[in-house]
Amino acid sequence: MTQYIFRRFAQSLIVLLGALLISFVILRIVPGDPAMMMLSDLATPEEIERMRSSLGVDKSIWTQLAIFAKQIATGDFGMSYRNQVPALGLVLSYLPATFELAGAALVLTVTISVPLGAYAAVRKGSWVDNMLSGFALVGQSVPVFWLGIMLILVFSVHFRWLPTSGRGDLSHLVLPAITLAAAQVALVSRIMRSSMLEVMRQDYIRTARAKGLSEWSVIFGHALRNAFAPVVTVLGLQIGTLLGGAIITETVFAWPGAGNLLVNSIGARDYPVVQAMVVISALVFVITNLIVDIIYVLLDPRVSYG
């Protein structure tokens, strides 16, 4: 187990370095000059050149990479071009809002999709099963931004039940969380249904029924745990999707999270903030996948640490 975790940490480190290198190169080769973004249209060529020199973007890409590598070795991602504060601290200050939104969406996903998918499998062919199929198709087809706008028009503009945007009390979280969770609920409930149907066909389920166990005991004592294992894997991957999808949802609902910060930083060519955001996002991905792998082994002992 310990050896497995160390090996995964080593792999995670390679992934982090790869993500950092790719994002660094892409940011430098896409059109746009951060110096011109920071100055007015009336700035002279000399002023632009002085700004480029002060930001360090007048050097070759390999020189910039060497300087950046030395900085991050000490945990320093540099200063935000726009805000003139440490980039890492700026990103960390925006993350709680994003985690709050993604966490609420994840809770909605688990509490709705797992019971719904399991029930649809147990009552295969019922109206619940048919409703789930229709909902899964619609939920995965509807664009996130369109759903968010429709929810705002109905529940905020027409009924005036919930606020249209911003972050505050629980009422501000309802519509963004539903928007972000809709596609995940559709996906996970379908996977839960398929997994549950597969488990219910296994010999040990027939044996449990032959022993005279109640259907309740068969489902909750034998089938549900084994059916949940594939769902755990998908949920782990979907956490990254939730964080990625939060960028669109945060934009629609003016949610002050890291997604909004990332969009604005990319537009302003604020390299230090974007790079800090890439590293943190990659870190969340690899840690989540590591936790999921460990939980998967605990749920299904047949899976080895190899």
Side-chain angles (χ1 to χ4, degrees):
M1 178 72 171
T2 305
Q3 186 180 5
Y4 172 77
I5 293 177
F6 273 116
R7 190 165 64 246
R8 287 302 309 273
F9 268 121
Q11 294 171 348
S12 302
L13 185 61
I14 295 173
V15 171
L16 284 175
L17 292 175
L20 196 58
L21 180 61
I22 292 171
S23 66
F24 183 91
V25 173
I26 289 177
L27 280 172
R28 265 65 180 185
I29 62 177
V30 295
D33 188 337
M36 295 185 68
M37 299 280 184
M38 296 180 64
L39 297 173
S40 70
D41 295 337
L42 301 177
T44 63
E46 291 76 16
E47 289 173 330
I48 294 174
E49 195 56 39
R50 278 198 297 272
M51 178 61 75
R52 296 187 81 246
S53 177
S54 67
L55 297 177
V57 295
D58 59 334
K59 301 178 176 62
S60 71
I61 186 171
W62 302 113
T63 304
Q64 293 181 53
L65 180 60
I67 295 172
F68 181 62
K70 290 180 182 176
Q71 286 181 326
I72 63 170
T74 60
D76 179 14
F77 284 82
M79 301 289 284
S80 166
Y81 295 162
R82 287 195 311 163
N83 300 285
Q84 291 302 305
V85 296
L88 184 59
L90 183 64
V91 172
L92 292 177
S93 69
Y94 277 77
L95 276 183
T98 297
F99 284 144
E100 179 184 325
L101 177 58
L106 183 63
V107 170
L108 278 179
T109 300
V110 174
T111 54
I112 295 174
S113 62
V114 172
L116 184 62
Y119 188 81
V122 173
R123 294 286 184 264
K124 183 182 178 184
S126 66
W127 68 270
V128 175
D129 190 21
N130 294 329
M131 183 193 71
L132 174 63
S133 300
F135 170 74
L137 179 63
V138 174
Q140 290 187 277
S141 304
V142 172
V144 173
F145 70 91
W146 183 88
L147 178 61
I149 292 172
M150 290 300 105
L151 290 176
I152 290 174
L153 289 175
V154 174
F155 294 102
S156 300
V157 177
H158 183 70
F159 291 114
R160 299 181 182 279
W161 289 347
L162 296 166
T164 56
S165 61
R167 184 190 182 205
D169 56 22
L170 189 60
S171 63
H172 289 81
L173 188 60
V174 175
L175 293 185
I178 292 175
T179 303
L180 191 55
Q184 311 305 319
V185 170
L187 173 65
V188 176
S189 58
R190 284 187 64 183
I191 293 173
M192 184 67 198
R193 177 185 178 276
S194 301
S195 179
M196 194 72 177
L197 285 174
E198 180 65 28
V199 169
M200 296 291 282
R201 287 193 288 265
Q202 298 299 314
D203 290 339
Y204 64 88
I205 296 295
R206 285 193 286 270
T207 304
R209 284 173 172 157
K211 288 179 179 178
L213 293 178
S214 66
E215 192 66 14
W216 180 274
S217 299
V218 171
I219 293 172
F220 287 92
H222 295 78
L224 200 56
R225 172 176 171 169
N226 293 320
F228 195 61
V231 176
V232 169
T233 304
V234 174
L235 283 174
L237 297 174
Q238 291 308 305
I239 289 176
T241 305
L242 284 174
L243 292 173
I247 295 175
I248 301 173
T249 307
E250 287 177 3
T251 304
V252 172
F253 290 93
W255 188 264
N260 248 331
L261 175 66
L262 179 62
V263 171
N264 294 331
S265 299
I266 291 174
R269 301 295 186 273
D270 197 343
Y271 297 158
V273 175
V274 176
Q275 286 159 178
M277 189 68 194
V278 168
V279 170
I280 291 176
S281 300
L283 197 59
V284 171
F285 266 97
V286 297
I287 291 176
T288 302
N289 283 316
L290 177 61
I291 294 173
V292 166
D293 287 347
I294 294 172
I295 293 176
Y296 198 90
V297 172
L298 295 176
L299 285 174
D300 189 351
R302 293 172 300 177
V303 180
S304 70
Y305 291 111

